[in-house]
Amino acid sequence: MIYVLGSINYDISLELERMPKKGETLLADGCGTGLGGKGANQAVAIARLARKYDDGRRSVKMIGRVGNDAMGAELMQKLDDYGVDTEFVRKVNRSTGLAMVSVSGKDNRIVVYSGANLGFTKSDVDEALEHATSADTLLCQLEVPLYIVGYALRKARAIGMTTILNPAPAKELPDDFYYNVDIIVPNELETQELTGINPRDESSQLAAMEKLLEKGVRYAALTLGANGAAISDGEKVTGHIPARKVSVVDTTGAGDTFVGALALTYPHVGMYSFKEACLFATKAASLTVSRHGAAASIPTFEEVCELYNNEIK
Ligand code: RIB
């Protein structure tokens, strides 16, 4: 089982010809609403890419919070429809998290109002992980309170679970965080925030990953957008995975698809090597960028297989 501790947002996406300047009002070319939030997107990626059990069992449990409002109800329903187990998603008396996503060409800019996502308590974590075992995985991001993420990672480590951290949005982390993380998956901005190194070429990517491994994580995968990913376990696996060439419609959720796909394939299934899992994750993410929206743009396993046919191992 994979437990995803993280945010659930109601995304409002605006398609723009270009980003507005300071003080300017722009008219959008299109608008969409839907399920988002880094936690929810990653949980959806796992559910969509996982094998389906005949007995209806689900591969992913979301630990999250939505408001007791119409948006919260809609998002809960969407999570369920996508195949995410919502037993540990609480409805609380705060407004549901909201994200304004401006999309223009290959760029996006996101502003989040956290709302219910800030209301986590340690008992949410205790309750959700009560029956977790060392065969399970915990996946976190940083759109919920940092001390809760730290607490969950410590607890998961004590249980012997595999732990994965997508340190997004970028934030400085206390040193003891790294000791409880097996796999860290930052993007370029987050890598720079955590290591002080801009991963713009092969040598800076290697230096940044080395720094992360020195801090205590076991594996690092840097997601580099159109430049693919750089990966390292510090010993046997070090390398670069090129991005797939696709026509980009909206990059929202691409990083989340990569993280979810990696969380699913590497530690859980056990039949992929770290490099193969990252290759699969890159392919899944390349489909996400060819569609609009966040959770709604994440492909199923069959769609990834169909597109890449023999390339999937
Ligand atoms: O990673 C994309 C997500 O970031 C969006 O869905 C938005 O809700 C923000 O959390």
Side-chain angles (χ1 to χ4, degrees):
M1 174 63 64
I2 304 175
Y3 294 82
V4 179
L5 171 85
S7 57
I8 304 171
N9 294 337
Y10 190 85
D11 280 8
I12 301 177
S13 299
L14 299 174
E15 286 162 47
L16 304 171
E17 204 179 294
R18 60 173 175 78
M19 295 295 174
K21 296 181 199 140
K22 187 176 173 194
E24 185 186 26
T25 302
L26 267 189
L27 300 186
D29 298 327
C31 174
T33 58
L35 173 64
K38 297 185 194 306
N41 295 341
Q42 292 174 21
V44 168
I46 293 163
R48 306 257 298 155
L49 294 166
R51 66 172 277 217
K52 304 290 170 285
Y53 296 103
D54 294 338
D55 60 6
R57 242 180 322 142
R58 297 184 168 196
S59 305
V60 54
K61 280 183 192 278
M62 177 90 212
I63 312 171
R65 290 185 162 223
V66 293
N68 218 341
D69 47 27
M71 288 190 294
E74 186 182 325
L75 299 186
M76 283 284 263
Q77 185 60 51
K78 287 218 159 104
L79 280 168
D80 187 55
D81 292 346
Y82 281 124
V84 176
D85 185 324
T86 56
E87 180 187 354
F88 298 115
V89 179
R90 301 267 169 273
K91 278 191 174 170
V92 294
N93 276 333
R94 286 177 88 149
S95 38
T96 296
L98 192 73
M100 288 299 307
V101 184
S102 301
V103 179
S104 174
K106 293 179 183 173
D107 285 339
N108 70 25
R109 289 184 192 177
I110 304 179
V111 181
V112 174
Y113 170 68
S114 298
N117 293 307
L118 291 185
F120 274 90
T121 63
K122 289 183 178 175
S123 62
D124 290 332
V125 178
D126 293 341
E127 209 179 302
L129 298 186
E130 193 184 345
H131 301 295
T133 70
S134 58
D136 297 328
T137 295
L138 176 73
L139 168 59
C140 305
Q141 320 74 33
L142 303 177
E143 275 186 339
V144 301
L146 200 59
Y147 82 96
I148 290 290
V149 178
Y151 177 74
L153 289 170
R154 273 197 303 281
K155 185 161 182 117
R157 174 50 57 85
I159 296 169
M161 298 169 77
T162 300
T163 54
I164 306 179
L165 178 66
N166 169 224
K171 243 174 229 169
E172 201 183 318
L173 296 178
D175 274 351
D176 63 347
F177 244 69
Y178 296 93
Y179 293 113
N180 295 318
V181 172
D182 291 310
I183 307 175
I184 195 161
V185 194
N187 69 10
E188 288 146 296
L189 274 179
E190 292 142 14
T191 301
Q192 175 136 28
E193 171 74 36
L194 298 182
T195 64
I197 299 170
N198 176 356
R200 64 180 176 282
D201 54 23
E202 207 183 310
S203 67
S204 52
Q205 288 155 16
L206 283 174
M209 290 192 289
E210 217 165 87
K211 215 161 180 184
L212 291 169
L213 295 164
E214 270 166 20
K215 285 173 186 266
V217 305
R218 289 176 49 214
Y219 294 85
L222 313 185
T223 55
L224 307 167
N227 293 322
I231 63 170
S232 176
D233 71 353
E235 287 172 38
K236 290 179 242 118
V237 186
T238 301
H240 177 259
I241 296 177
R244 322 295 306 172
K245 295 257 176 299
V246 284
S247 101
V248 176
V249 169
D250 176 359
T251 56
T252 315
D256 297 330
T257 305
F258 184 98
V259 176
L262 178 60
L264 175 72
T265 46
Y266 181 56
H268 199 57
V269 177
M271 60 188 199
Y272 285 81
S273 69
F274 185 57
K275 187 169 183 188
E276 284 168 340
C278 290
L279 271 168
F280 175 72
T282 309
K283 288 170 182 169
S286 75
L287 271 170
T288 301
V289 301
S290 65
R291 302 163 177 181
H292 286 290
S297 65
I298 297 169
T300 60
F301 182 71
E302 291 72 22
E303 286 172 326
V304 183
C305 288
E306 195 183 319
L307 188 67
Y308 291 107
N309 214 350
N310 301 325
E311 291 183 40
I312 304 283
K313 295 208 174 79

